């Protein structure tokens, strides 16, 4: 299944929690980050494919029209000038518009980021992959109804990142189990029909910061954040784990990150509103609306 559509299906439920006025505020906030060229701004006010992917998904989740100039913005991109993350964003964004559509050259370029263990890495020629890179690459294929050439390689990469406590590290260079990497691995495992350890829900639940109501990136981290909260809820829901005992405290936490300007902060120390965390706000609220 398209990973993008999977998240959008949940994010579309967020207005049931937000209400009509707040949903309209979020749509206005997203439009405020739209550049005339058709792309959405990053934190420095420059049109960027990464932030455009979140802007597009926010408007789609809220059932608003996409910018008319978006296809032109995508067509103007030079794939040879893009790093791995932005290349994946370009391919995935092409699934949101009638044209342009990705050709084989884009996927061939994506395959240039295969790692020695069969996964993907943000750096070309790496010996081992990362959970995040595998998720982005698999998503780029899946959003166009395609399968990567070597799913067994992705599975082998994930196997090398799995930890004894049921979680995953993002990469082998920093083998620390964390919630975002575990959520990525859970999503990939579900789509690749790989077994998920029975300890995995318990690890993710151990990242719940009961005092604040959000999720921390790893147990013992001092500060919960919206990304960890959204992806942990997404993974737990995918594993059919019970999130009901966390619901009210999660809602309270997310409310503390909401701004009347229509966006969400990433955490309590983040003074900047951006499209990435605003989408994660919608994703988290969508899960909490169920």
């Amino acid at each position: 299944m398209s990973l993008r559509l999977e998240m959008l299906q949940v994010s579309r439920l967020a207005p049931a929690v937000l209400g009509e006025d707040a949903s309209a505020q979020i749509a206005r906030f997203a439009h405020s980050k739209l550049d005339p060229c058709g792309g959405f701004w990053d934190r420095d006010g420059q049109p960027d494919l990464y932030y455009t992917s979140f802007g597009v998904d926010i408007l789609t989740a809220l059932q608003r029209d996409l910018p008319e100039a978006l296809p032109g913005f995508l067509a103007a991109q030079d794939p040879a000038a893009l790093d791995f993350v932005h290349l994946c964003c370009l391919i995935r964004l092409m699934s949101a518009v009638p044209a342009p559509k990705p050709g084989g050259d884009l996927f061939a370029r994506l395959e240039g980021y295969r790692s020695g263990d069969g996964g993907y890495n943000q750096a070309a020629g790496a010996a081992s992959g990362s959970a995040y890179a595998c998720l982005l690459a698999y998503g780029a294929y899946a959003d166009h109804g395609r399968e990567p050439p070597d799913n067994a390689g992705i599975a082998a990469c994930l196997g090398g990142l799995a930890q004894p406590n049921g979680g995953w590290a993002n990469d082998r260079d920093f083998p620390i189990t964390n919630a975002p990497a575990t959520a990525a691995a859970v999503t990939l495992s579900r789509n690749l029909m790989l077994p998920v350890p029975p300890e995995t829900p318990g690890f993710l639940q151990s990242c719940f910061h009961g005092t604040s109501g959000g999720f921390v990136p790893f147990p013992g981290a001092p500060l919960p954040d919206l990304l960890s909260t959204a992806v942990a809820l997404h993974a737990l829901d995918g594993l059919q784990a019970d999130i009901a005992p966390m619901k009210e405290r999660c809602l309270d936490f997310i409310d503390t990150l909401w701004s009347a300007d229509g966006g969400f902060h990433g955490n309590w120390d983040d003074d900047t509103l951006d499209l990435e965390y605003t989408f994660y706000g919608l994703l988290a609220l969508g899960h909490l609306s169920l």
Side-chain angles (χ1 to χ4, degrees):
M1 179 181 182
S2 166
L3 302 190
R4 176 174 177 264
L5 292 180
E6 181 180 303
M7 289 192 291
L8 283 173
Q9 284 179 350
V10 178
S11 301
R12 286 191 178 104
L13 303 175
V17 178
L18 287 163
E20 183 177 340
D21 290 344
S23 298
Q25 285 177 290
I26 293 174
R28 285 194 294 270
F29 171 74
H31 279 117
S32 76
K33 302 296 183 181
L34 177 61
D35 191 87
C37 73
F40 287 81
W41 292 339
D42 61 16
R43 288 192 164 207
D44 295 322
Q46 299 298 315
D48 178 86
L49 284 165
Y50 181 75
Y51 286 88
T52 297
S53 68
F54 290 109
V56 165
D57 285 353
I58 289 168
L59 293 180
T60 302
L62 296 175
Q63 301 184 57
R64 264 59 172 191
D65 292 336
L66 298 183
E68 292 184 2
L70 176 62
F73 172 70
L74 300 181
Q77 301 301 312
D78 177 10
L82 301 178
D83 60 20
F84 171 80
V85 171
H86 287 83
L87 177 65
C88 288
C89 290
L90 174 61
I91 295 172
R92 298 190 72 176
L93 279 163
M94 287 178 172
S95 71
V97 297
K101 292 299 182 186
D105 57 327
L106 286 181
F107 289 106
R109 179 169 173 76
L110 183 57
E111 286 304 303
Y113 290 92
R114 280 279 185 177
S115 51
D117 60 357
Y120 293 86
N121 193 294
Q122 292 95 312
S128 57
S130 74
Y132 177 61
C134 287
L135 181 74
L136 288 186
Y138 182 88
Y141 280 99
D143 288 348
H144 291 277
R146 300 176 63 160
E147 289 283 338
D150 182 17
N151 280 337
I154 297 176
C157 174
L158 292 179
L161 299 173
Q163 304 298 306
N165 61 358
W168 278 263
N170 185 55
D171 56 57
R172 296 192 185 190
D173 294 333
F174 192 61
I176 303 298
T177 318
N178 64 85
T182 299
V186 167
T187 296
L188 286 167
S189 295
R190 288 194 295 103
N191 281 271
L192 295 173
M193 304 299 180
L194 301 174
V196 174
E199 299 86 1
T200 300
F203 167 73
L204 288 168
Q205 289 162 344
S206 75
C207 294
F208 183 63
H209 195 275
T211 303
S212 70
F215 283 78
V216 293
F218 51 86
L223 195 66
D225 65 84
L226 191 48
L227 185 154
S228 296
T229 300
V231 299
L233 289 171
H234 191 63
L236 286 168
D237 183 67
L239 295 173
Q240 299 183 338
D242 184 14
I243 62 173
M246 309 171 184
K247 180 174 179 179
E248 292 304 320
R249 282 177 290 174
C250 276
L251 287 170
D252 289 342
F253 169 68
I254 295 168
D255 186 58
T256 68
L257 301 175
W258 160 254
S259 167
D261 291 329
F264 286 87
H265 298 278
N267 58 58
W268 291 326
D269 287 341
D270 183 11
D271 294 328
T272 304
L273 300 173
D274 73 15
L275 295 168
E276 177 182 12
Y277 289 113
T278 299
F279 176 74
Y280 284 128
L282 293 179
L283 179 61
L285 290 173
H287 280 294
L288 296 169
S289 73
L290 297 172

